[in-house]
Amino acid sequence: MPRVTFLNIDGSSSTVEAPAGMSVMQAAIDNMIPGILADCGGSCTCATCHAYIEAPWDARLPPRSADEALTLEGALDVEPASRLTCQVKISAELDGLVVRLPASQA
Ligand code: FES
């Protein structure tokens, strides 16, 4: 299964395996990664799954949808690499993906 590494707010990191097709948000929830709340359950309306996709992975993702971009406007500390992790699907091509959690979601 593809691996995803979360760079946690406390400076630690967590590497998890998750099946292709699962969202990065769901992989974080299933592995109790702190900083991802996912209050809306993945319907792209809450922004509590906000995280930063580290290079070079950020450039390998499809661009934000209009809905994702609109919801991200409600997040704190948005950066160019910001994504809603419920909208990022894990795939074999993204094996090794690195996701940094925002300090504002501590
Ligand atoms: Fe709510 Fe991603 S879980 S926007």
Side-chain angles (χ1 to χ4, degrees):
M1 283 196 285
R3 290 162 300 127
V4 180
T5 295
F6 293 94
L7 304 179
N8 298 313
I9 296 164
D10 66 2
S12 66
S13 65
S14 308
T15 298
V16 306
E17 291 187 341
M22 176 180 276
S23 70
V24 171
M25 174 276 279
Q26 193 63 54
I29 294 292
D30 288 355
N31 290 281
M32 295 180 283
I33 302 296
I36 298 287
L37 297 177
D39 288 341
C40 76
S43 60
C44 198
T45 57
C46 74
T48 63
C49 67
H50 171 218
Y52 310 110
I53 307 299
E54 294 284 279
W57 304 103
D58 56 340
R60 298 181 189 177
L61 298 182
R64 299 171 187 157
S65 68
D67 284 348
E68 183 181 358
L70 186 64
T71 301
L72 258 177
E73 290 180 10
L76 296 174
D77 302 326
V78 173
E79 299 179 4
S82 288
R83 297 300 297 255
L84 296 178
T85 56
C86 68
Q87 302 302 301
V88 178
K89 298 289 185 231
I90 293 166
S91 66
E93 293 73 27
L94 293 179
D95 181 28
L97 180 71
V98 181
V99 179
R100 179 168 46 91
L101 280 301
S104 57
Q105 287 168 209

Coordinates of all heavy atoms in Angstrom, one line a residue:
M1 N 0.8 -1.2 0.0 CA 0.0 0.0 0.0 C 0.9 1.3 0.0 O 2.0 1.2 0.6 CB -0.9 0.0 1.3 CG -2.1 -0.9 1.2 SD -3.3 -0.6 2.4 CE -2.5 -1.2 3.9
P2 N 0.4 2.3 -0.6 CA 1.2 3.6 -0.6 C 1.4 4.1 0.8 O 0.5 3.8 1.7 CB 0.3 4.5 -1.4 CG -0.6 3.7 -2.2 CD -0.8 2.4 -1.4
R3 N 2.5 4.7 1.1 CA 2.8 5.3 2.4 C 2.6 6.8 2.3 O 2.9 7.5 1.3 CB 4.2 5.0 2.7 CG 4.5 3.5 3.0 CD 6.0 3.2 3.0 NE 6.5 3.4 1.6 CZ 7.5 4.2 1.4 NH1 8.2 4.7 2.4 NH2 7.9 4.4 0.2
V4 N 2.2 7.3 3.4 CA 2.1 8.8 3.6 C 2.8 9.2 4.9 O 2.6 8.5 5.9 CB 0.6 9.2 3.7 CG1 0.5 10.8 3.9 CG2 -0.2 8.8 2.5
T5 N 3.6 10.2 4.9 CA 4.3 10.6 6.1 C 3.7 12.0 6.5 O 3.6 12.9 5.7 CB 5.8 10.8 5.8 OG1 6.4 9.5 5.6 CG2 6.5 11.4 7.1
F6 N 3.3 12.0 7.7 CA 2.7 13.3 8.3 C 3.8 13.9 9.2 O 4.4 13.2 10.0 CB 1.5 13.0 9.1 CG 0.3 12.5 8.3 CD1 0.1 11.1 8.2 CD2 -0.6 13.4 7.7 CE1 -1.0 10.7 7.4 CE2 -1.6 12.9 7.0 CZ -1.8 11.6 6.8
L7 N 4.1 15.2 8.9 CA 5.0 15.9 9.7 C 4.1 16.6 10.8 O 3.4 17.5 10.5 CB 5.8 16.9 8.9 CG 6.6 16.3 7.7 CD1 7.3 17.4 6.9 CD2 7.6 15.3 8.2
N8 N 4.2 16.1 12.0 CA 3.3 16.5 13.0 C 3.7 17.9 13.6 O 4.8 18.4 13.5 CB 3.3 15.5 14.1 CG 2.8 14.2 13.6 OD1 1.8 14.1 12.9 ND2 3.5 13.1 13.9
I9 N 2.7 18.5 14.2 CA 2.9 19.9 14.8 C 3.9 19.9 15.9 O 4.7 20.9 16.0 CB 1.5 20.3 15.4 CG1 0.5 20.5 14.2 CG2 1.6 21.7 16.1 CD1 -1.0 20.6 14.7
D10 N 4.1 18.8 16.6 CA 5.1 18.7 17.7 C 6.5 18.4 17.2 O 7.4 18.3 18.0 CB 4.7 17.7 18.8 CG 4.7 16.3 18.2 OD1 5.1 16.0 17.1 OD2 4.3 15.4 19.0
G11 N 6.7 18.3 15.9 CA 8.0 18.1 15.3 C 8.3 16.6 15.0 O 9.3 16.3 14.4
S12 N 7.5 15.8 15.5 CA 7.6 14.3 15.2 C 7.0 14.0 13.8 O 6.4 14.9 13.2 CB 6.9 13.5 16.2 OG 5.5 13.7 16.2
S13 N 7.2 12.8 13.3 CA 6.6 12.4 12.1 C 6.0 11.1 12.2 O 6.4 10.3 13.1 CB 7.6 12.4 10.9 OG 8.6 11.5 11.2
S14 N 5.0 10.8 11.4 CA 4.3 9.5 11.5 C 4.1 9.0 10.0 O 3.6 9.8 9.2 CB 2.9 9.7 12.1 OG 2.9 10.3 13.3
T15 N 4.6 7.8 9.7 CA 4.4 7.3 8.4 C 3.4 6.2 8.5 O 3.5 5.3 9.3 CB 5.7 6.7 7.8 OG1 6.7 7.8 7.7 CG2 5.5 6.1 6.5
V16 N 2.4 6.3 7.6 CA 1.3 5.3 7.7 C 1.1 4.7 6.3 O 1.6 5.3 5.3 CB -0.1 5.9 8.1 CG1 0.1 6.6 9.5 CG2 -0.6 6.9 7.1
E17 N 0.5 3.6 6.2 CA 0.1 3.0 4.9 C -1.4 3.1 4.7 O -2.1 3.0 5.7 CB 0.5 1.5 4.8 CG 2.0 1.3 4.8 CD 2.4 -0.2 4.6 OE1 1.5 -1.1 4.8 OE2 3.5 -0.4 4.2
A18 N -1.8 3.4 3.5 CA -3.3 3.5 3.3 C -3.5 3.1 1.8 O -2.7 3.2 1.0 CB -3.7 5.0 3.5
P19 N -4.7 2.5 1.6 CA -5.0 2.0 0.3 C -5.2 3.1 -0.7 O -5.7 4.2 -0.4 CB -6.3 1.2 0.5 CG -6.9 1.8 1.7 CD -5.8 2.3 2.6
A20 N -4.9 2.8 -2.0 CA -5.2 3.8 -3.1 C -6.7 4.1 -3.1 O -7.5 3.2 -2.9 CB -4.7 3.2 -4.4
G21 N -7.0 5.3 -3.3 CA -8.4 5.7 -3.4 C -8.9 6.3 -2.1 O -9.8 7.1 -2.1
M22 N -8.2 6.0 -1.0 CA -8.6 6.7 0.3 C -8.1 8.1 0.3 O -7.0 8.4 -0.3 CB -8.0 5.9 1.4 CG -8.2 6.5 2.8 SD -7.4 5.5 4.1 CE -8.7 4.3 4.4
S23 N -8.8 9.0 0.9 CA -8.3 10.4 1.0 C -7.2 10.4 2.1 O -7.1 9.6 3.0 CB -9.4 11.3 1.4 OG -9.8 11.1 2.8
V24 N -6.3 11.4 1.9 CA -5.3 11.7 3.0 C -5.9 12.0 4.3 O -5.4 11.6 5.3 CB -4.3 12.8 2.5 CG1 -3.4 13.2 3.6 CG2 -3.6 12.4 1.2
M25 N -7.0 12.7 4.3 CA -7.8 13.0 5.5 C -8.2 11.7 6.2 O -7.9 11.5 7.4 CB -9.0 13.8 5.2 CG -9.9 14.1 6.4 SD -11.1 12.7 6.7 CE -12.4 13.1 5.6
Q26 N -8.7 10.7 5.5 CA -9.2 9.5 6.1 C -8.0 8.7 6.7 O -8.1 8.1 7.7 CB -10.0 8.7 5.1 CG -10.8 7.5 5.8 CD -11.8 8.0 6.8 OE1 -12.6 8.8 6.4 NE2 -11.7 7.6 8.0
A27 N -6.9 8.7 5.9 CA -5.7 8.0 6.4 C -5.2 8.7 7.8 O -4.8 8.0 8.7 CB -4.6 8.1 5.4
A28 N -5.3 10.0 7.9 CA -4.9 10.7 9.1 C -5.9 10.3 10.2 O -5.5 10.0 11.3 CB -4.9 12.2 8.9
I29 N -7.2 10.3 10.0 CA -8.2 10.0 11.0 C -8.0 8.6 11.5 O -8.0 8.3 12.7 CB -9.6 10.2 10.4 CG1 -9.9 11.7 10.2 CG2 -10.6 9.6 11.4 CD1 -9.9 12.6 11.4
D30 N -7.8 7.7 10.5 CA -7.7 6.2 10.9 C -6.5 6.0 11.7 O -6.4 5.0 12.5 CB -7.6 5.4 9.6 CG -9.0 5.3 8.9 OD1 -10.0 5.8 9.4 OD2 -9.0 4.7 7.8
N31 N -5.5 6.8 11.6 CA -4.2 6.6 12.3 C -4.0 7.7 13.4 O -2.9 7.8 14.0 CB -3.0 6.7 11.3 CG -3.0 5.5 10.4 OD1 -2.6 4.4 10.8 ND2 -3.5 5.6 9.2
M32 N -5.1 8.4 13.8 CA -5.1 9.3 14.9 C -4.0 10.3 14.8 O -3.3 10.6 15.8 CB -5.1 8.5 16.2 CG -6.4 7.7 16.4 SD -6.4 6.8 18.0 CE -5.3 5.4 17.6
I33 N -3.9 10.9 13.6 CA -2.9 11.9 13.4 C -3.4 13.2 14.0 O -4.5 13.7 13.6 CB -2.6 12.1 11.9 CG1 -2.0 10.8 11.3 CG2 -1.6 13.3 11.7 CD1 -0.7 10.3 11.9
P34 N -2.8 13.9 15.0 CA -3.3 15.1 15.6 C -3.3 16.2 14.6 O -2.4 16.4 13.8 CB -2.4 15.4 16.8 CG -1.3 14.4 16.7 CD -1.5 13.4 15.6
G35 N -4.3 17.1 14.6 CA -4.3 18.3 13.8 C -5.3 18.2 12.6 O -5.5 19.1 11.9
I36 N -5.8 17.0 12.4 CA -6.8 16.8 11.3 C -8.1 16.4 12.0 O -8.2 15.3 12.6 CB -6.4 15.7 10.3 CG1 -5.1 16.0 9.6 CG2 -7.6 15.4 9.3 CD1 -5.2 17.1 8.5
L37 N -9.1 17.3 12.0 CA -10.4 17.1 12.7 C -11.4 16.6 11.7 O -12.2 15.7 12.1 CB -10.8 18.4 13.3 CG -9.9 18.9 14.4 CD1 -10.5 20.2 15.0 CD2 -9.8 17.9 15.6
A38 N -11.5 17.1 10.5 CA -12.4 16.7 9.5 C -13.8 16.7 10.0 O -14.6 15.8 9.8 CB -12.0 15.2 9.0
D39 N -14.2 17.9 10.5 CA -15.6 18.1 11.0 C -16.7 17.8 10.1 O -17.8 17.3 10.5 CB -15.7 19.5 11.6 CG -14.9 19.8 12.8 OD1 -14.6 18.8 13.5 OD2 -14.7 20.9 13.1
C40 N -16.5 18.0 8.8 CA -17.6 17.8 7.8 C -17.5 16.4 7.2 O -18.4 16.1 6.4 CB -17.5 18.9 6.7 SG -16.2 18.6 5.5
G41 N -16.6 15.6 7.6 CA -16.6 14.2 7.1 C -16.1 14.1 5.7 O -16.3 13.0 5.1
G42 N -15.5 15.1 5.2 CA -14.9 15.0 3.8 C -15.7 15.6 2.8 O -15.5 15.4 1.6
S43 N -16.7 16.4 3.1 CA -17.6 17.0 2.1 C -17.1 18.4 1.6 O -17.8 19.1 1.0 CB -19.0 17.1 2.6 OG -19.1 17.9 3.7
C44 N -15.8 18.7 2.0 CA -15.2 19.9 1.5 C -15.9 21.2 1.9 O -16.0 22.2 1.2 CB -15.1 19.9 -0.1 SG -13.9 21.0 -0.8
T45 N -16.3 21.2 3.2 CA -17.0 22.4 3.6 C -16.5 23.0 5.0 O -17.0 24.0 5.4 CB -18.5 22.2 3.8 OG1 -18.7 21.1 4.7 CG2 -19.2 21.8 2.5
C46 N -15.5 22.4 5.6 CA -15.1 22.8 6.9 C -13.7 23.3 7.0 O -13.4 24.1 7.9 CB -15.3 21.7 7.9 SG -14.0 20.4 7.8
A47 N -12.8 22.9 6.2 CA -11.4 23.3 6.2 C -10.6 22.8 7.4 O -9.4 23.2 7.6 CB -11.2 24.8 6.1
T48 N -11.2 22.0 8.3 CA -10.4 21.4 9.4 C -9.5 20.2 9.1 O -8.9 19.6 9.9 CB -11.4 21.0 10.6 OG1 -12.2 20.0 10.1 CG2 -12.2 22.2 11.1
C49 N -9.4 20.0 7.8 CA -8.5 19.0 7.3 C -7.3 19.6 6.5 O -6.6 18.9 5.8 CB -9.2 17.9 6.4 SG -9.8 18.6 4.9
H50 N -7.2 20.9 6.7 CA -6.1 21.7 6.0 C -4.7 21.2 6.4 O -4.5 20.9 7.5 CB -6.3 23.1 6.4 CG -5.2 24.0 5.9 ND1 -4.7 25.1 6.7 CD2 -4.4 24.0 4.8 CE1 -3.7 25.7 6.0 NE2 -3.6 25.1 4.8
A51 N -3.9 21.0 5.4 CA -2.5 20.7 5.6 C -1.7 21.1 4.4 O -2.3 21.5 3.3 CB -2.3 19.2 5.8
Y52 N -0.4 21.1 4.5 CA 0.5 21.5 3.4 C 1.1 20.2 2.8 O 1.6 19.3 3.5 CB 1.6 22.4 4.0 CG 1.1 23.5 4.8 CD1 1.4 23.5 6.2 CD2 0.4 24.6 4.3 CE1 0.9 24.6 7.0 CE2 -0.1 25.6 5.0 CZ 0.2 25.6 6.4 OH -0.3 26.6 7.2
I53 N 1.1 20.2 1.5 CA 1.7 19.1 0.8 C 3.2 19.5 0.4 O 3.4 20.5 -0.3 CB 0.9 18.8 -0.5 CG1 -0.6 18.5 -0.2 CG2 1.6 17.6 -1.2 CD1 -0.9 17.4 0.7
E54 N 4.1 18.7 1.0 CA 5.5 19.1 0.8 C 6.0 18.8 -0.7 O 5.5 17.9 -1.3 CB 6.4 18.3 1.7 CG 6.2 18.6 3.2 CD 6.8 19.9 3.6 OE1 8.0 19.9 3.9 OE2 6.1 21.0 3.6
A55 N 7.0 19.6 -1.1 CA 7.6 19.4 -2.4 C 8.3 18.1 -2.4 O 8.8 17.7 -1.4 CB 8.5 20.5 -2.7
P56 N 8.4 17.4 -3.5 CA 7.8 17.7 -4.8 C 6.4 17.3 -5.0 O 5.8 17.4 -6.1 CB 8.8 16.9 -5.8 CG 9.0 15.7 -5.0 CD 9.1 16.1 -3.6
W57 N 5.8 16.7 -4.0 CA 4.5 16.1 -4.1 C 3.4 17.2 -4.5 O 2.5 16.8 -5.2 CB 4.1 15.4 -2.8 CG 5.1 14.4 -2.5 CD1 6.1 14.5 -1.5 CD2 5.4 13.1 -3.1 NE1 6.9 13.4 -1.5 CE2 6.4 12.5 -2.5 CE3 4.7 12.5 -4.1 CZ2 6.9 11.3 -2.8 CZ3 5.2 11.2 -4.5 CH2 6.3 10.6 -3.9
D58 N 3.5 18.4 -4.0 CA 2.5 19.4 -4.2 C 2.3 19.6 -5.7 O 1.2 19.7 -6.2 CB 2.9 20.7 -3.5 CG 4.2 21.3 -3.9 OD1 5.1 20.5 -4.4 OD2 4.4 22.5 -3.7
A59 N 3.4 19.6 -6.5 CA 3.3 19.8 -7.9 C 2.7 18.6 -8.7 O 2.4 18.7 -9.9 CB 4.7 20.2 -8.5
R60 N 2.7 17.5 -8.0 CA 2.2 16.2 -8.7 C 0.7 16.0 -8.5 O 0.1 15.1 -9.0 CB 2.9 15.0 -8.1 CG 4.4 15.1 -8.4 CD 5.1 13.9 -7.9 NE 6.6 14.1 -8.0 CZ 7.5 13.2 -7.6 NH1 7.1 12.1 -7.0 NH2 8.7 13.5 -7.7
L61 N 0.0 16.9 -7.7 CA -1.4 16.8 -7.5 C -2.2 17.6 -8.5 O -1.7 18.6 -9.0 CB -1.7 17.3 -6.1 CG -1.1 16.6 -4.9 CD1 -1.6 17.3 -3.6 CD2 -1.4 15.2 -4.9
P62 N -3.4 17.1 -8.8 CA -4.2 18.0 -9.6 C -4.5 19.3 -8.9 O -4.5 19.3 -7.7 CB -5.5 17.1 -9.8 CG -5.5 16.1 -8.8 CD -4.0 15.9 -8.3
P63 N -4.8 20.3 -9.7 CA -5.1 21.6 -9.0 C -6.3 21.5 -8.2 O -7.2 20.6 -8.3 CB -5.3 22.6 -10.2 CG -5.5 21.7 -11.4 CD -4.9 20.4 -11.1
R64 N -6.4 22.5 -7.2 CA -7.6 22.6 -6.4 C -8.9 22.8 -7.2 O -8.8 23.5 -8.2 CB -7.5 23.8 -5.5 CG -6.3 23.8 -4.5 CD -6.2 25.2 -3.8 NE -5.0 25.3 -3.0 CZ -4.4 26.4 -2.7 NH1 -5.0 27.6 -3.1 NH2 -3.4 26.4 -2.0
S65 N -9.9 22.2 -6.8 CA -11.2 22.4 -7.5 C -11.7 23.8 -7.0 O -11.2 24.4 -6.0 CB -12.2 21.4 -7.1 OG -12.5 21.5 -5.7
A66 N -12.7 24.3 -7.6 CA -13.3 25.6 -7.2 C -13.8 25.5 -5.8 O -13.7 26.4 -5.0 CB -14.4 26.0 -8.2
D67 N -14.5 24.4 -5.5 CA -15.0 24.2 -4.1 C -13.9 24.1 -3.1 O -14.0 24.7 -2.0 CB -15.8 22.9 -4.0 CG -17.2 23.0 -4.7 OD1 -17.6 24.1 -5.0 OD2 -17.9 22.0 -4.9
E68 N -12.8 23.4 -3.4 CA -11.7 23.3 -2.4 C -11.1 24.7 -2.2 O -10.8 25.1 -1.1 CB -10.7 22.4 -2.9 CG -9.5 22.2 -2.0 CD -8.4 21.2 -2.4 OE1 -8.6 20.7 -3.5 OE2 -7.4 21.1 -1.7
A69 N -10.9 25.5 -3.3 CA -10.3 26.8 -3.2 C -11.2 27.7 -2.3 O -10.7 28.5 -1.5 CB -10.1 27.4 -4.6
L70 N -12.5 27.6 -2.5 CA -13.4 28.4 -1.8 C -13.4 28.1 -0.3 O -13.3 29.0 0.6 CB -14.8 28.3 -2.3 CG -15.9 29.2 -1.7 CD1 -15.6 30.6 -2.1 CD2 -17.3 28.8 -2.3
T71 N -13.4 26.8 0.0 CA -13.4 26.4 1.4 C -12.1 26.7 2.1 O -12.0 27.1 3.3 CB -13.7 24.9 1.6 OG1 -15.0 24.6 1.0 CG2 -13.7 24.4 3.0
L72 N -11.0 26.6 1.3 CA -9.7 27.0 1.9 C -9.6 28.4 2.3 O -8.8 28.8 3.2 CB -8.6 26.7 0.8 CG -7.8 25.4 1.0 CD1 -6.8 25.3 -0.1 CD2 -7.0 25.3 2.4
E73 N -10.4 29.3 1.8 CA -10.4 30.7 2.2 C -10.8 30.8 3.6 O -10.4 31.8 4.3 CB -11.4 31.5 1.3 CG -10.9 31.6 -0.1 CD -11.9 32.4 -1.0 OE1 -12.8 33.0 -0.4 OE2 -11.7 32.5 -2.2
G74 N -11.4 29.8 4.2 CA -11.8 29.9 5.6 C -10.7 29.3 6.5 O -10.9 29.3 7.8
A75 N -9.6 28.8 6.0 CA -8.5 28.2 6.8 C -7.5 29.3 7.2 O -7.4 30.3 6.6 CB -7.8 27.1 6.0
L76 N -6.8 29.0 8.3 CA -5.7 29.9 8.7 C -4.4 29.5 8.1 O -4.2 28.4 7.7 CB -5.6 29.8 10.3 CG -6.8 30.3 11.1 CD1 -6.5 30.0 12.6 CD2 -7.1 31.7 10.9
D77 N -3.5 30.5 7.9 CA -2.2 30.3 7.5 C -2.1 29.5 6.1 O -1.3 28.6 6.0 CB -1.4 29.6 8.5 CG -1.3 30.3 9.9 OD1 -1.3 31.6 9.8 OD2 -1.3 29.7 10.9
V78 N -2.9 29.9 5.2 CA -2.9 29.2 3.9 C -1.6 29.6 3.1 O -1.2 30.7 3.1 CB -4.2 29.6 3.1 CG1 -4.1 29.1 1.7 CG2 -5.4 29.2 3.8
E79 N -1.0 28.6 2.5 CA 0.2 28.7 1.8 C 0.0 28.2 0.4 O -1.0 27.5 0.1 CB 1.4 28.0 2.4 CG 1.7 28.4 3.8 CD 2.8 27.6 4.4 OE1 3.4 26.7 3.8 OE2 3.1 27.9 5.6
P80 N 0.9 28.4 -0.6 CA 0.7 27.9 -1.9 C 0.5 26.3 -1.9 O -0.2 25.8 -2.8 CB 2.0 28.3 -2.7 CG 2.4 29.5 -2.0 CD 2.0 29.4 -0.6
A81 N 1.1 25.7 -1.0 CA 1.0 24.2 -0.9 C -0.1 23.7 0.0 O -0.3 22.5 0.2 CB 2.3 23.6 -0.4
S82 N -1.0 24.6 0.4 CA -2.2 24.2 1.2 C -3.1 23.4 0.4 O -3.4 23.7 -0.8 CB -2.9 25.5 1.7 OG -2.2 26.1 2.7
R83 N -3.7 22.4 1.0 CA -4.7 21.6 0.4 C -5.7 21.1 1.5 O -5.3 21.0 2.7 CB -4.2 20.3 -0.3 CG -3.3 20.6 -1.4 CD -3.9 21.4 -2.6 NE -5.0 20.7 -3.2 CZ -5.0 20.2 -4.4 NH1 -3.8 20.2 -5.1 NH2 -6.0 19.6 -4.9
L84 N -6.9 20.8 1.1 CA -7.8 20.1 2.0 C -7.6 18.7 1.8 O -7.8 18.1 0.7 CB -9.3 20.5 1.7 CG -9.6 22.0 1.9 CD1 -11.1 22.2 1.4 CD2 -9.4 22.4 3.3
T85 N -7.1 18.0 2.9 CA -6.7 16.6 2.7 C -7.8 15.7 2.3 O -7.5 14.6 1.8 CB -5.9 16.1 3.9 OG1 -6.7 16.3 5.1 CG2 -4.6 16.9 4.0
C86 N -9.0 16.1 2.6 CA -10.1 15.2 2.2 C -10.3 15.2 0.7 O -11.0 14.3 0.1 CB -11.5 15.6 2.8 SG -12.1 17.2 2.3
Q87 N -9.7 16.1 0.0 CA -9.8 16.2 -1.5 C -8.5 15.6 -2.2 O -8.5 15.6 -3.4 CB -9.9 17.6 -1.9 CG -11.2 18.3 -1.3 CD -12.5 17.6 -1.6 OE1 -12.8 17.4 -2.8 NE2 -13.2 17.1 -0.6
V88 N -7.6 15.1 -1.4 CA -6.4 14.5 -2.0 C -6.5 13.0 -1.8 O -6.5 12.4 -0.7 CB -5.1 15.0 -1.3 CG1 -3.9 14.4 -1.8 CG2 -5.0 16.5 -1.4
K89 N -6.5 12.3 -3.0 CA -6.7 10.9 -3.0 C -5.3 10.2 -3.1 O -4.4 10.5 -3.9 CB -7.5 10.4 -4.2 CG -8.9 10.9 -4.2 CD -9.8 10.3 -3.1 CE -11.2 10.7 -3.1 NZ -11.7 11.2 -1.9
I90 N -5.1 9.2 -2.2 CA -3.9 8.4 -2.2 C -3.9 7.5 -3.4 O -4.9 7.0 -3.9 CB -3.8 7.6 -0.9 CG1 -3.7 8.6 0.3 CG2 -2.7 6.6 -0.9 CD1 -3.9 7.9 1.6
S91 N -2.7 7.4 -4.0 CA -2.5 6.5 -5.2 C -1.1 6.0 -5.2 O -0.2 6.4 -4.4 CB -2.7 7.3 -6.5 OG -1.7 8.3 -6.6
A92 N -0.9 5.0 -6.0 CA 0.5 4.4 -6.1 C 1.5 5.4 -6.5 O 2.6 5.4 -6.1 CB 0.4 3.2 -7.1
E93 N 1.0 6.3 -7.4 CA 1.9 7.4 -7.9 C 2.4 8.3 -6.7 O 3.4 9.0 -6.8 CB 1.3 8.2 -9.0 CG 1.1 7.4 -10.3 CD -0.1 6.4 -10.2 OE1 -1.0 6.6 -9.4 OE2 0.0 5.4 -10.9
L94 N 1.5 8.4 -5.7 CA 1.8 9.3 -4.6 C 2.5 8.6 -3.4 O 2.5 9.1 -2.3 CB 0.6 10.0 -4.1 CG 0.0 11.0 -5.1 CD1 -1.3 11.6 -4.5 CD2 0.9 12.1 -5.5
D95 N 3.0 7.3 -3.6 CA 3.7 6.6 -2.6 C 4.8 7.4 -2.1 O 5.7 7.8 -2.8 CB 4.2 5.2 -3.1 CG 4.8 4.4 -2.1 OD1 4.5 4.5 -0.9 OD2 5.7 3.6 -2.4
G96 N 4.9 7.7 -0.8 CA 5.9 8.5 -0.2 C 5.5 9.9 0.1 O 6.3 10.7 0.6
L97 N 4.2 10.2 -0.2 CA 3.7 11.6 0.0 C 4.0 12.1 1.4 O 3.9 11.4 2.4 CB 2.2 11.5 -0.2 CG 1.4 12.8 -0.1 CD1 1.6 13.7 -1.3 CD2 -0.1 12.5 0.0
V98 N 4.4 13.4 1.4 CA 4.7 14.0 2.7 C 3.8 15.2 3.0 O 3.6 16.1 2.1 CB 6.2 14.5 2.8 CG1 6.5 15.1 4.2 CG2 7.1 13.3 2.5
V99 N 3.1 15.2 4.1 CA 2.1 16.1 4.5 C 2.4 16.8 5.8 O 2.7 16.1 6.8 CB 0.7 15.4 4.6 CG1 -0.4 16.4 5.0 CG2 0.3 14.7 3.3
R100 N 2.5 18.1 5.8 CA 2.9 18.9 7.0 C 1.6 19.5 7.6 O 0.8 20.1 6.9 CB 3.9 19.9 6.7 CG 4.3 20.8 7.8 CD 5.5 21.6 7.4 NE 5.4 22.3 6.1 CZ 4.9 23.5 6.0 NH1 4.6 24.3 7.0 NH2 4.8 24.1 4.8
L101 N 1.4 19.3 8.9 CA 0.2 19.8 9.6 C 0.5 21.2 10.0 O 1.5 21.6 10.5 CB 0.0 18.9 10.9 CG -0.7 17.6 10.7 CD1 -2.1 17.8 10.0 CD2 0.1 16.6 9.9
P102 N -0.6 22.1 9.9 CA -0.4 23.5 10.3 C -0.4 23.6 11.8 O -1.2 23.0 12.5 CB -1.7 24.1 9.7 CG -2.3 23.1 8.8 CD -1.9 21.8 9.3
A103 N 0.5 24.5 12.3 CA 0.6 24.8 13.7 C -0.8 25.4 14.2 O -1.1 25.1 15.4 CB 1.7 25.8 14.0
S104 N -1.5 26.0 13.4 CA -2.8 26.6 13.8 C -3.8 25.6 14.1 O -4.9 25.9 14.7 CB -3.3 27.6 12.7 OG -3.4 26.8 11.5
Q105 N -3.6 24.3 13.8 CA -4.5 23.3 14.1 C -4.1 22.4 15.3 O -4.6 21.3 15.4 CB -4.8 22.4 12.8 CG -5.6 23.2 11.8 CD -5.7 22.5 10.4 OE1 -5.9 23.3 9.4 NE2 -5.5 21.2 10.3
A106 N -3.2 23.0 16.1 CA -2.7 22.2 17.3 C -3.9 22.1 18.3 O -4.7 23.0 18.4 CB -1.5 22.9 17.9
Ligands
FES1 FE1 -14.1 19.1 5.9 FE2 -12.0 18.3 4.4 S1 -13.0 17.3 6.0 S2 -13.2 20.2 4.3

